[in-house]
Amino acid sequence: MSKKVIWAIIIIMSTSLVGVGMIQLFWIKWSVNLDEKNFNDKVITALNRVKDRLRQDVEDRAYSELLKQRTETSLSSGKEMDSPFKPERTKDMNSLSFFLNPSEYLEAIDKDKLDLFLRQELADQGIDLKYEYGVYSNELHSYIIVNGNYAVSIEDTTKSSNVAELSPLLKAEYRISLFANEFSEPGHLNLYFPNKTRFLWSSVFPILLSSTLFTVLILFCFSYTVYIIFRQKKVSEMKTDFINNMTHEFKTPIATISLASDSVLSPSIIHDENKVRRFINIIKQENLRMLSQVEKVLQMGQIERNDLNLKFGELDIHELIEDAVVNAGLKVQAKGGSIHADLRAKDPVILADHTHIGSVINNLLDNAEKYTPEKPEITISTSDVSNGIQISVKDNGIGIPKDAQKHIFEKFYRVPTGNVHNVKGFGLGLSYVKAMVEAHGGHIQVKSEPGKGSTFTVFLPKKQKTK
Ligand code: ADP
């Protein structure tokens, strides 16, 4: 899959995810709005009914008061009422409205009745939510009833705490005019639900939560898939590089062997023993080179299968290093450099596999030489550390960039440095070194600065943990 296709999929998938998320949010908001509209309608209906019942109550009380007064006057004046006919109610009510002006209506509200009506009507509408309310008088410029009590004036600045308490009421969303006629509007009833928003959202909360959860899950799986795709792509690129590399590495010895065998077979040489020996030697050397390459690849397979078959024995690290230094010395000297051994460990004998630890040290020295293009100055040192020995290989080579340092121990990884592509390698050396050091219960670290050099530090324990 090309990078373009992967990026196109990522963009399409991300856009779709954002789109789906936005549509979900839109639906949820829409549903909350619908619920709110429903809720508002119910509250308004309840308030209208409260308003009507309040008017009825005030008028009923005024009417009975009127009747009482009339009875008293007629009794005291000795006159009979127009009995058996009682005064016609509507007629009386007209006269009542005449002397009960709108603001008197407001002041005549019975706080307990208001409380009861509100409770009943809201319950009738199925609203079971904490609420606060107040009756505001336009004439007095203050609340006259607040939450079932006759209130103190909120204009009274000495009671500033009251103002604070009432402030949500002042901004109350639900307000209905009380006892208004065409000439005046004496006041209004304000209603406020402190928990309304929470209540409205609580019904959609499970949907919101689950949709967020699923979106996060999809996002996580998607990111992980993209990560895997990129990693697989990188591994496959590295494998292709490896195959190209290996083919190249084999091509030279095969060509040399072919040439040497042709030469041996040529009639002018076949009878010259010295020349035949020389060519056969070349064939042998090239054969050994191929063998060592094949061995490296096979070793990697063994590590992967966890089939290391280590042969632990007493191993003098210093002896091993001295041998390795002699071998590596030739190549280093050919480049005009030198290699020093600074062996300070007092007890260099550890329990380890001779062949593999030898390969570890050879690999590190090999890399130090390979990646130092001019005059390599390589130092290999040892020191005692608690329960083990520390081996450092320091060079003055090209160094390794910071972000590549965490990858160099991965299989097939090679730092992509344009100008050193001529350095041969499979990208297997350090992954082998790491696997081997860890198989011995040790660890490896790298410190490096591009252009200045690198130091690889290996820790190996003295004794192997009994399993
Ligand atoms: P290779 O066969 O490419 O040498 P290795 O696994 O040994 O593979 O090393 C992986 C990569 O780490 C190398 O390709 C090289 O870029 C980098 N590297 C290893 N050792 C050194 C060093 N001493 N100095 C600079 N770069 C190094």
Side-chain angles (χ1 to χ4, degrees):
M1 211 190 286
S2 80
K3 264 207 164 122
K4 265 189 194 161
V5 176
I6 299 176
W7 278 110
I9 291 176
I10 292 176
I11 291 169
I12 294 171
M13 188 81 181
S14 316
T15 324
S16 315
L17 263 178
V18 171
V20 168
M22 274 172 40
I23 290 172
Q24 273 177 348
L25 275 184
F26 169 79
W27 277 114
I28 289 169
K29 184 81 183 78
W30 184 79
S31 142
V32 170
N33 284 350
L34 202 71
D35 282 355
E36 184 169 21
K37 195 175 162 311
N38 241 328
F39 183 86
N40 289 350
D41 287 349
K42 285 180 183 171
V43 175
I44 299 294
T45 311
L47 280 181
N48 272 318
R49 299 198 51 179
V50 169
K51 176 180 94 174
D52 293 344
R53 284 177 76 180
L54 274 181
R55 178 182 277 273
Q56 190 69 48
D57 176 63
V58 172
E59 283 178 359
D60 282 353
R61 278 188 285 120
Y63 180 67
S64 36
E65 188 66 26
L66 188 74
L67 271 186
K68 210 166 99 193
Q69 274 174 23
R70 284 208 181 163
T71 323
E72 274 166 14
T73 14
S74 57
L75 279 179
S76 61
S77 63
K79 267 202 216 161
E80 283 268 323
M81 265 176 68
D82 305 347
S83 160
F85 305 106
K86 292 254 162 106
E88 202 189 314
R89 187 179 158 113
T90 43
K91 197 167 144 236
D92 273 88
M93 286 322 291
N94 282 339
S95 58
L96 190 74
S97 299
F98 186 74
F99 67 80
L100 256 189
N101 75 33
S103 48
E104 280 176 84
Y105 264 103
L106 203 68
E107 282 156 33
I109 293 175
D110 180 338
K111 69 176 174 58
D112 296 326
K113 286 273 175 57
L114 171 61
D115 205 54
L116 177 76
F117 295 162
L118 255 177
R119 203 166 347 112
Q120 283 178 343
E121 293 305 333
L122 286 173
D124 266 8
Q125 295 298 325
I127 296 174
D128 176 25
L129 211 62
K130 189 181 156 215
Y131 58 88
E132 286 169 16
Y133 64 91
V135 175
Y136 188 79
S137 159
N138 288 338
E139 196 182 75
L140 299 174
H141 297 294
S142 75
Y143 276 91
I144 53 174
I145 297 173
V146 172
N147 296 336
N149 296 309
Y150 292 115
V152 266
S153 159
I154 61 157
E155 305 307 312
D156 186 350
T157 46
T158 55
K159 308 234 172 187
S160 52
S161 63
N162 268 338
V163 181
E165 265 169 41
L166 291 169
S167 65
L169 262 186
L170 292 171
K171 291 182 275 161
E173 196 178 337
Y174 306 102
R175 154 190 300 231
I176 192 156
S177 215
L178 292 175
F179 313 117
N181 60 20
E182 55 270 42
F183 307 112
S184 71
E185 189 193 343
H188 47 255
L189 171 62
N190 278 8
L191 183 63
Y192 162 70
F193 295 92
N195 302 332
K196 182 182 137 187
T197 316
R198 200 194 305 162
F199 164 74
L200 289 173
W201 280 95
S202 68
S203 60
V204 291
F205 184 70
I207 303 171
L208 191 69
L209 191 77
S210 46
S211 84
T212 315
L213 199 80
F214 288 132
T215 312
V216 168
L217 266 178
I218 293 174
L219 207 70
F220 172 75
C221 291
F222 172 56
S223 322
Y224 190 66
T225 314
V226 169
Y227 167 74
I228 298 267
I229 290 175
F230 274 110
R231 211 180 57 180
Q232 287 300 97
K233 196 171 155 49
K234 211 168 149 208
V235 169
S236 104
E237 278 169 7
M238 287 198 300
K239 278 196 174 160
T240 316
D241 278 359
F242 166 72
I243 291 168
N244 288 343
N245 246 329
M246 204 167 75
T247 326
H248 246 90
E249 290 275 303
F250 279 124
K251 222 174 136 186
T252 324
I254 289 171
T256 319
I257 288 172
S258 161
L259 251 165
S261 23
D262 279 350
S263 308
V264 172
L265 287 176
S266 89
S268 60
I269 289 174
I270 200 147
H271 300 297
D272 183 340
E273 200 190 318
N274 274 346
K275 279 188 179 164
V276 169
R277 267 182 198 283
R278 230 182 74 210
F279 282 120
I280 292 201
N281 232 347
I282 291 175
I283 293 174
K284 196 171 175 213
Q285 285 305 318
E286 292 301 305
N287 212 19
L288 279 177
R289 215 170 102 184
M290 282 206 290
L291 198 71
S292 95
Q293 312 281 29
V294 172
E295 210 116 80
K296 268 190 196 170
V297 181
L298 289 181
Q299 263 172 0
M300 243 17 250
Q302 277 179 333
I303 291 173
E304 234 168 51
R305 289 194 304 274
N306 230 344
D307 171 24
L308 292 174
N309 203 11
L310 298 179
K311 291 185 189 77
F312 286 99
E314 287 210 335
L315 169 67
D316 187 331
I317 287 286
H318 286 178
E319 270 177 24
L320 200 74
I321 290 175
E322 274 155 11
D323 288 347
V325 165
V326 173
N327 285 338
L330 293 173
K331 279 195 216 159
V332 174
Q333 277 155 18
K335 276 187 177 175
S338 60
I339 181 162
H340 313 278
D342 181 16
L343 310 176
R344 289 166 188 256
K346 293 214 170 60
D347 180 12
V349 181
I350 64 166
L351 207 61
D353 183 302
H354 186 284
T355 322
H356 286 299
I357 295 301
S359 293
V360 165
I361 292 181
N362 280 332
N363 260 301
L364 291 177
L365 287 176
D366 223 40
N367 277 352
E369 181 274 319
K370 267 191 337 192
Y371 298 103
T372 309
E374 279 165 35
K375 289 194 179 148
E377 287 304 329
I378 301 168
T379 309
I380 179 159
S381 54
T382 60
S383 58
D384 288 312
V385 283
S386 83
N387 301 327
I389 188 164
Q390 188 167 290
I391 308 158
S392 291
V393 179
K394 185 170 179 278
D395 64 54
N396 56 337
I398 55 169
I400 306 162
K402 194 101 210 138
D403 49 338
Q405 285 178 22
K406 50 182 179 289
H407 298 298
I408 54 171
F409 298 105
E410 287 168 15
K411 218 170 27 161
F412 304 125
Y413 183 85
R414 304 199 73 207
V415 179
T417 33
N419 53 349
V420 276
H421 263 244
N422 50 346
V423 179
K424 289 197 174 71
F426 292 151
L428 290 178
L430 286 181
S431 69
Y432 164 79
V433 167
K434 186 168 190 265
M436 223 21 94
V437 168
E438 285 175 356
H440 279 78
H443 49 79
I444 180 164
Q445 280 175 338
V446 61
K447 270 199 191 128
S448 183
E449 218 177 299
K452 293 208 170 150
S454 319
T455 306
F456 285 86
T457 309
V458 172
F459 163 81
L460 287 172
K462 282 242 158 74
K463 286 187 186 129
Q464 294 303 310
K465 277 190 192 128
T466 44
K467 285 182 190 159

